[in-house]
Amino acid sequence: MADHNPFPGENNTGHIWDSDLRELKNPPPRWWMIGFWTSILWVVGYTILYPSWPVGEEPTPGILGWTQIEEYERGVAQIEARRAEFESRIGTLGVEEILADPGLTQYTLASAKVLFGDNCAACHGSGGQGNPGYPVLADDDWLYGGSTAKLTETITQGRKGNMVAHQDILSAEEVDTLARWTVEMSQGEPGSEAGWQLFSTKGCSGCHGPTANGVLAELPGGEVITVGAADLTDRIWRFEPGGYESARHTILYGVNQSGVEQTREAVMPAFGPTARVEDVEIRRLDPQEIKKLVVYVHLLGGGL
């Protein structure tokens, strides 16, 4: 640091290093000082008007009495008021009438997306693609039917599949023949005659239908009668990974068979207003929420 000031009249502090590196005493720019003092005044004003400083368990209230909770509640009230018109219409219309109104359908889909995420996505996937071991909803393959009436019934009452375990009914050779026949059917082949013989005589057609497509009968109006048995004539497998071993396992151990250790488990809980879980009555979804989900799922998979 220099012993004398070689820059007299420069308004420096006299601290000089390396001959010319020095500290000046120039004031900050006016715009900066205005901003600096304005920010201080703003903080003081804010702490007077709004809740700010913690005092005990609560902050200072502020003279305006504003709270985040009150603002949130006003916002919710505004949203509910906007929704009220749509919700009222949904309550008075049937599912088919909602689907016939494009505007109301779009509102219902947006509203039901949250319901689907909260109640259905854990098993069926966020987009209805089906998580491992659960049915896909984004296609047109429906075990119990994809009409709006069937979907309402399914969501409200739940579903529990049932297939008898054949480990003590069929011989190993018969199980092998049926498993291979099932694979052939899924690949679009006609299936072996021996497989068809077993399918018809061992009770399989009683659930899977006479043509193995899962349909017991078709009514004149186009409605089909089914008990939820899988269509064996398409490439969709209810239990992954599909193929011979998967078919053999299902034939041997069945579905939801009490006392059969390796049985397939296929249960959908009821989501009706008074569904029961372990004999305890709980509220799940009200009729209007179920109606929204029916619209959502029906359009998600194309519906039938």
Side-chain angles (χ1 to χ4, degrees):
M1 185 170 66
D3 295 331
H4 64 284
N5 189 346
F7 303 97
E10 189 186 43
N11 196 29
N12 61 54
T13 63
H15 297 162
I16 302 172
W17 294 266
D18 297 333
S19 301
D20 61 355
L21 184 62
R22 57 207 183 275
E23 180 182 7
L24 303 180
K25 295 190 293 185
N26 295 331
R30 182 178 297 275
W31 65 263
W32 190 92
M33 292 302 298
I34 292 174
F36 175 75
W37 288 110
T38 300
S39 65
I40 292 177
L41 292 175
W42 184 89
V43 170
V44 172
Y46 184 93
T47 58
I48 294 173
L49 296 174
Y50 295 97
S52 305
W53 299 104
V55 179
E57 296 183 358
E58 299 291 336
T60 53
I63 63 176
L64 295 181
W66 176 91
T67 68
Q68 289 180 321
I69 294 299
E70 289 181 358
E71 183 168 316
Y72 162 76
E73 290 175 345
R74 284 195 298 270
V76 170
Q78 291 173 353
I79 293 174
E80 293 299 332
R82 184 70 183 90
R83 290 176 175 172
E85 175 188 352
F86 295 100
E87 294 292 335
S88 176
R89 293 179 62 197
I90 291 174
T92 58
L93 297 178
V95 174
E96 299 296 339
E97 294 173 301
I98 295 173
L99 289 169
D101 185 323
L104 190 57
T105 297
Q106 288 304 310
Y107 169 83
T108 304
L109 290 175
S111 180
K113 187 174 183 179
V114 176
L115 290 172
F116 187 87
D118 289 344
N119 298 280
C120 314
C123 296
H124 295 290
S126 60
Q129 75 276 17
N131 287 326
Y134 296 93
V136 174
L137 301 182
D139 59 22
D140 286 331
D141 185 77
W142 302 91
L143 290 174
Y144 296 91
S147 67
T148 56
K150 281 295 183 181
L151 290 175
T152 301
E153 181 182 297
T154 298
I155 296 171
T156 303
Q157 301 177 10
R159 297 292 187 185
K160 184 174 182 178
N162 179 66
M163 175 173 167
V164 175
H166 290 77
Q167 57 183 344
D168 298 326
I169 300 174
L170 301 177
S171 67
E173 182 180 353
E174 289 173 329
V175 170
D176 178 75
T177 298
L178 270 176
R180 294 187 186 283
W181 173 85
T182 302
V183 174
E184 292 168 356
M185 296 294 291
S186 72
Q187 294 174 345
E189 299 176 12
S192 68
E193 188 172 335
W196 274 110
Q197 180 68 19
L198 287 171
F199 177 82
S200 301
T201 60
K202 297 298 182 178
C204 307
S205 60
C207 293
H208 293 282
T211 62
N213 67 347
V215 176
L216 299 182
E218 289 193 36
L219 301 180
E223 184 180 355
V224 298
I225 299 176
T226 176
V227 294
D231 181 352
L232 305 181
T233 64
D234 60 22
R235 295 180 178 271
I236 298 174
W237 292 84
R238 171 62 183 86
F239 300 103
E240 296 182 353
Y244 169 77
E245 289 296 337
S246 184
R248 182 176 179 275
H249 185 102
T250 304
I251 294 169
L252 282 172
Y253 307 113
V255 179
N256 293 325
Q257 296 301 291
S258 177
V260 180
E261 186 175 345
Q262 298 185 60
T263 190
R264 303 285 198 185
E265 294 184 3
V267 178
M268 174 176 168
F271 286 86
T274 55
R276 302 182 71 85
V277 175
E278 296 181 354
D279 293 328
V280 177
E281 190 174 281
I282 60 172
R283 179 196 176 279
R284 298 302 297 271
L285 298 174
D286 61 39
Q288 185 137 325
E289 291 171 326
I290 291 176
K291 194 182 299 185
K292 292 178 181 179
L293 274 177
V294 169
V295 171
Y296 188 89
V297 175
H298 182 75
L299 293 179
L300 190 65
L304 288 175

